[in-house]
PDB file of all heavy atoms in Angstrom:
ATOM      1  N   ALA A   1     116.440 106.263  94.327  1.00  0.00           N
ATOM      2  CA  ALA A   1     116.886 105.870  92.970  1.00  0.00           C
ATOM      3  C   ALA A   1     117.731 106.952  92.340  1.00  0.00           C
ATOM      4  O   ALA A   1     118.748 106.687  91.769  1.00  0.00           O
ATOM      5  CB  ALA A   1     115.626 105.548  92.149  1.00  0.00           C
ATOM      6  N   GLN A   2     117.263 108.198  92.490  1.00  0.00           N
ATOM      7  CA  GLN A   2     118.018 109.308  91.868  1.00  0.00           C
ATOM      8  C   GLN A   2     119.363 109.450  92.493  1.00  0.00           C
ATOM      9  O   GLN A   2     120.393 109.716  91.836  1.00  0.00           O
ATOM     10  CB  GLN A   2     117.176 110.587  92.030  1.00  0.00           C
ATOM     11  CG  GLN A   2     117.768 111.805  91.323  1.00  0.00           C
ATOM     12  CD  GLN A   2     117.653 111.664  89.824  1.00  0.00           C
ATOM     13  OE1 GLN A   2     116.652 111.214  89.296  1.00  0.00           O
ATOM     14  NE2 GLN A   2     118.717 112.058  89.085  1.00  0.00           N
ATOM     15  N   ALA A   3     119.441 109.321  93.825  1.00  0.00           N
ATOM     16  CA  ALA A   3     120.669 109.562  94.535  1.00  0.00           C
ATOM     17  C   ALA A   3     121.700 108.452  94.396  1.00  0.00           C
ATOM     18  O   ALA A   3     122.915 108.673  94.319  1.00  0.00           O
ATOM     19  CB  ALA A   3     120.398 109.767  96.043  1.00  0.00           C
ATOM     20  N   GLU A   4     121.228 107.206  94.308  1.00  0.00           N
ATOM     21  CA  GLU A   4     122.152 106.075  94.387  1.00  0.00           C
ATOM     22  C   GLU A   4     122.285 105.319  93.079  1.00  0.00           C
ATOM     23  O   GLU A   4     123.278 104.591  92.858  1.00  0.00           O
ATOM     24  CB  GLU A   4     121.720 105.120  95.513  1.00  0.00           C
ATOM     25  CG  GLU A   4     121.694 105.820  96.871  1.00  0.00           C
ATOM     26  CD  GLU A   4     121.525 104.885  98.016  1.00  0.00           C
ATOM     27  OE1 GLU A   4     121.673 103.652  97.835  1.00  0.00           O
ATOM     28  OE2 GLU A   4     121.236 105.361  99.117  1.00  0.00           O
ATOM     29  N   GLY A   5     121.329 105.430  92.158  1.00  0.00           N
ATOM     30  CA  GLY A   5     121.460 104.892  90.799  1.00  0.00           C
ATOM     31  C   GLY A   5     121.885 103.424  90.771  1.00  0.00           C
ATOM     32  O   GLY A   5     121.265 102.544  91.371  1.00  0.00           O
ATOM     33  N   ALA A   6     122.951 103.153  90.047  1.00  0.00           N
ATOM     34  CA  ALA A   6     123.455 101.786  89.817  1.00  0.00           C
ATOM     35  C   ALA A   6     123.885 101.103  91.106  1.00  0.00           C
ATOM     36  O   ALA A   6     123.911  99.894  91.199  1.00  0.00           O
ATOM     37  CB  ALA A   6     124.610 101.793  88.814  1.00  0.00           C
ATOM     38  N   GLU A   7     124.207 101.901  92.155  1.00  0.00           N
ATOM     39  CA  GLU A   7     124.578 101.321  93.426  1.00  0.00           C
ATOM     40  C   GLU A   7     123.513 100.461  94.030  1.00  0.00           C
ATOM     41  O   GLU A   7     123.754  99.515  94.754  1.00  0.00           O
ATOM     42  CB  GLU A   7     124.969 102.473  94.408  1.00  0.00           C
ATOM     43  CG  GLU A   7     125.379 101.994  95.778  1.00  0.00           C
ATOM     44  CD  GLU A   7     126.638 101.124  95.804  1.00  0.00           C
ATOM     45  OE1 GLU A   7     127.418 101.209  94.856  1.00  0.00           O
ATOM     46  OE2 GLU A   7     126.763 100.318  96.756  1.00  0.00           O
ATOM     47  N   ILE A   8     122.230 100.814  93.694  1.00  0.00           N
ATOM     48  CA  ILE A   8     121.122 100.009  94.225  1.00  0.00           C
ATOM     49  C   ILE A   8     121.183  98.583  93.705  1.00  0.00           C
ATOM     50  O   ILE A   8     121.038  97.638  94.450  1.00  0.00           O
ATOM     51  CB  ILE A   8     119.774 100.679  93.834  1.00  0.00           C
ATOM     52  CG1 ILE A   8     119.618 102.014  94.540  1.00  0.00           C
ATOM     53  CG2 ILE A   8     118.588  99.737  94.121  1.00  0.00           C
ATOM     54  CD1 ILE A   8     118.432 102.840  94.088  1.00  0.00           C
ATOM     55  N   ILE A   9     121.418  98.461  92.406  1.00  0.00           N
ATOM     56  CA  ILE A   9     121.503  97.070  91.806  1.00  0.00           C
ATOM     57  C   ILE A   9     122.760  96.370  92.309  1.00  0.00           C
ATOM     58  O   ILE A   9     122.741  95.160  92.518  1.00  0.00           O
ATOM     59  CB  ILE A   9     121.456  97.141  90.273  1.00  0.00           C
ATOM     60  CG1 ILE A   9     120.059  97.693  89.842  1.00  0.00           C
ATOM     61  CG2 ILE A   9     121.735  95.805  89.647  1.00  0.00           C
ATOM     62  CD1 ILE A   9     119.869  97.819  88.343  1.00  0.00           C
ATOM     63  N   ALA A  10     123.839  97.086  92.504  1.00  0.00           N
ATOM     64  CA  ALA A  10     125.029  96.486  93.066  1.00  0.00           C
ATOM     65  C   ALA A  10     124.781  95.920  94.475  1.00  0.00           C
ATOM     66  O   ALA A  10     125.259  94.863  94.815  1.00  0.00           O
ATOM     67  CB  ALA A  10     126.177  97.502  93.080  1.00  0.00           C
ATOM     68  N   ARG A  11     123.999  96.667  95.217  1.00  0.00           N
ATOM     69  CA  ARG A  11     123.703  96.262  96.601  1.00  0.00           C
ATOM     70  C   ARG A  11     122.550  95.262  96.677  1.00  0.00           C
ATOM     71  O   ARG A  11     122.502  94.423  97.579  1.00  0.00           O
ATOM     72  CB  ARG A  11     123.410  97.514  97.453  1.00  0.00           C
ATOM     73  CG  ARG A  11     123.194  97.278  98.914  1.00  0.00           C
ATOM     74  CD  ARG A  11     123.114  98.576  99.662  1.00  0.00           C
ATOM     75  NE  ARG A  11     122.693  98.411 101.023  1.00  0.00           N
ATOM     76  CZ  ARG A  11     122.509  99.363 101.935  1.00  0.00           C
ATOM     77  NH1 ARG A  11     122.790 100.632 101.551  1.00  0.00           N
ATOM     78  NH2 ARG A  11     122.138  99.099 103.157  1.00  0.00           N
ATOM     79  N   ALA A  12     121.594  95.370  95.741  1.00  0.00           N
ATOM     80  CA  ALA A  12     120.439  94.495  95.717  1.00  0.00           C
ATOM     81  C   ALA A  12     120.218  94.039  94.288  1.00  0.00           C
ATOM     82  O   ALA A  12     119.401  94.608  93.544  1.00  0.00           O
ATOM     83  CB  ALA A  12     119.203  95.251  96.240  1.00  0.00           C
ATOM     84  N   PRO A  13     120.939  93.000  93.824  1.00  0.00           N
ATOM     85  CA  PRO A  13     120.849  92.563  92.436  1.00  0.00           C
ATOM     86  C   PRO A  13     119.474  92.081  92.005  1.00  0.00           C
ATOM     87  O   PRO A  13     119.212  91.929  90.801  1.00  0.00           O
ATOM     88  CB  PRO A  13     121.867  91.397  92.391  1.00  0.00           C
ATOM     89  CG  PRO A  13     122.764  91.627  93.544  1.00  0.00           C
ATOM     90  CD  PRO A  13     121.951  92.248  94.588  1.00  0.00           C
ATOM     91  N   THR A  14     118.577  91.866  92.943  1.00  0.00           N
ATOM     92  CA  THR A  14     117.233  91.450  92.622  1.00  0.00           C
ATOM     93  C   THR A  14     116.435  92.540  91.927  1.00  0.00           C
ATOM     94  O   THR A  14     115.381  92.283  91.320  1.00  0.00           O
ATOM     95  CB  THR A  14     116.467  90.971  93.885  1.00  0.00           C
ATOM     96  OG1 THR A  14     115.294  90.331  93.539  1.00  0.00           O
ATOM     97  CG2 THR A  14     116.131  92.178  94.791  1.00  0.00           C
ATOM     98  N   VAL A  15     116.930  93.783  91.994  1.00  0.00           N
ATOM     99  CA  VAL A  15     116.242  94.948  91.373  1.00  0.00           C
ATOM    100  C   VAL A  15     116.436  94.903  89.853  1.00  0.00           C
ATOM    101  O   VAL A  15     117.552  94.732  89.357  1.00  0.00           O
ATOM    102  CB  VAL A  15     116.744  96.255  91.959  1.00  0.00           C
ATOM    103  CG1 VAL A  15     116.170  97.456  91.208  1.00  0.00           C
ATOM    104  CG2 VAL A  15     116.415  96.335  93.447  1.00  0.00           C
ATOM    105  N   ASP A  16     115.342  95.081  89.150  1.00  0.00           N
ATOM    106  CA  ASP A  16     115.368  95.067  87.661  1.00  0.00           C
ATOM    107  C   ASP A  16     115.470  96.474  87.074  1.00  0.00           C
ATOM    108  O   ASP A  16     116.096  96.698  86.042  1.00  0.00           O
ATOM    109  CB  ASP A  16     114.100  94.439  87.123  1.00  0.00           C
ATOM    110  CG  ASP A  16     113.954  93.016  87.571  1.00  0.00           C
ATOM    111  OD1 ASP A  16     114.693  92.147  87.096  1.00  0.00           O
ATOM    112  OD2 ASP A  16     113.112  92.740  88.477  1.00  0.00           O
ATOM    113  N   VAL A  17     114.791  97.476  87.705  1.00  0.00           N
ATOM    114  CA  VAL A  17     114.704  98.827  87.154  1.00  0.00           C
ATOM    115  C   VAL A  17     115.017  99.834  88.245  1.00  0.00           C
ATOM    116  O   VAL A  17     114.503  99.703  89.387  1.00  0.00           O
ATOM    117  CB  VAL A  17     113.309  99.098  86.561  1.00  0.00           C
ATOM    118  CG1 VAL A  17     113.148 100.581  86.173  1.00  0.00           C
ATOM    119  CG2 VAL A  17     113.047  98.168  85.366  1.00  0.00           C
ATOM    120  N   VAL A  18     115.788 100.829  87.930  1.00  0.00           N
ATOM    121  CA  VAL A  18     116.045 101.992  88.782  1.00  0.00           C
ATOM    122  C   VAL A  18     115.646 103.248  87.988  1.00  0.00           C
ATOM    123  O   VAL A  18     116.178 103.471  86.933  1.00  0.00           O
ATOM    124  CB  VAL A  18     117.494 102.091  89.252  1.00  0.00           C
ATOM    125  CG1 VAL A  18     117.734 103.359  90.051  1.00  0.00           C
ATOM    126  CG2 VAL A  18     117.898 100.834  90.051  1.00  0.00           C
ATOM    127  N   VAL A  19     114.694 104.045  88.536  1.00  0.00           N
ATOM    128  CA  VAL A  19     114.199 105.198  87.773  1.00  0.00           C
ATOM    129  C   VAL A  19     114.018 106.368  88.716  1.00  0.00           C
ATOM    130  O   VAL A  19     113.380 106.270  89.752  1.00  0.00           O
ATOM    131  CB  VAL A  19     112.866 104.832  87.060  1.00  0.00           C
ATOM    132  CG1 VAL A  19     111.802 104.373  88.010  1.00  0.00           C
ATOM    133  CG2 VAL A  19     112.383 106.047  86.225  1.00  0.00           C
ATOM    134  N   GLY A  20     114.608 107.514  88.321  1.00  0.00           N
ATOM    135  CA  GLY A  20     114.486 108.742  89.085  1.00  0.00           C
ATOM    136  C   GLY A  20     113.161 109.389  88.920  1.00  0.00           C
ATOM    137  O   GLY A  20     112.369 109.075  88.013  1.00  0.00           O
ATOM    138  N   PRO A  21     112.806 110.350  89.781  1.00  0.00           N
ATOM    139  CA  PRO A  21     111.482 110.985  89.761  1.00  0.00           C
ATOM    140  C   PRO A  21     111.158 111.816  88.546  1.00  0.00           C
ATOM    141  O   PRO A  21     110.010 112.161  88.374  1.00  0.00           O
ATOM    142  CB  PRO A  21     111.496 111.838  91.071  1.00  0.00           C
ATOM    143  CG  PRO A  21     112.905 112.038  91.417  1.00  0.00           C
ATOM    144  CD  PRO A  21     113.639 110.824  90.926  1.00  0.00           C
ATOM    145  N   GLN A  22     112.171 112.109  87.708  1.00  0.00           N
ATOM    146  CA  GLN A  22     111.873 112.912  86.503  1.00  0.00           C
ATOM    147  C   GLN A  22     111.625 112.011  85.283  1.00  0.00           C
ATOM    148  O   GLN A  22     111.442 112.519  84.187  1.00  0.00           O
ATOM    149  CB  GLN A  22     113.031 113.879  86.225  1.00  0.00           C
ATOM    150  CG  GLN A  22     113.340 114.817  87.364  1.00  0.00           C
ATOM    151  CD  GLN A  22     112.108 115.606  87.830  1.00  0.00           C
ATOM    152  OE1 GLN A  22     111.304 115.990  87.027  1.00  0.00           O
ATOM    153  NE2 GLN A  22     112.046 115.855  89.129  1.00  0.00           N
ATOM    154  N   SER A  23     111.684 110.708  85.462  1.00  0.00           N
ATOM    155  CA  SER A  23     111.693 109.781  84.307  1.00  0.00           C
ATOM    156  C   SER A  23     110.580 108.747  84.375  1.00  0.00           C
ATOM    157  O   SER A  23     110.653 107.700  83.675  1.00  0.00           O
ATOM    158  CB  SER A  23     113.046 109.125  84.186  1.00  0.00           C
ATOM    159  OG  SER A  23     114.076 110.095  84.056  1.00  0.00           O
ATOM    160  N   TYR A  24     109.539 108.940  85.170  1.00  0.00           N
ATOM    161  CA  TYR A  24     108.521 107.934  85.324  1.00  0.00           C
ATOM    162  C   TYR A  24     107.804 107.632  83.992  1.00  0.00           C
ATOM    163  O   TYR A  24     107.320 106.506  83.798  1.00  0.00           O
ATOM    164  CB  TYR A  24     107.481 108.366  86.355  1.00  0.00           C
ATOM    165  CG  TYR A  24     108.007 108.497  87.754  1.00  0.00           C
ATOM    166  CD1 TYR A  24     107.556 109.461  88.624  1.00  0.00           C
ATOM    167  CD2 TYR A  24     109.003 107.644  88.235  1.00  0.00           C
ATOM    168  CE1 TYR A  24     108.047 109.588  89.911  1.00  0.00           C
ATOM    169  CE2 TYR A  24     109.523 107.755  89.501  1.00  0.00           C
ATOM    170  CZ  TYR A  24     109.012 108.736  90.334  1.00  0.00           C
ATOM    171  OH  TYR A  24     109.524 108.848  91.604  1.00  0.00           O
TER     172      TYR A  24
END
């Protein structure tokens, strides 16, 4: 999540939330 950010949702639109390890 930290490394790829918004790219995750672009690649997998089913994802609702992307959160890095410092923001739990």
Side-chain angles (χ1 to χ4, degrees):
Q2 186 70 42
E4 301 190 15
E7 178 63 24
I8 293 172
I9 294 179
R11 185 170 170 181
T14 191
V15 173
D16 300 286
V17 172
V18 176
V19 57
Q22 304 305 324
S23 302
Y24 295 145

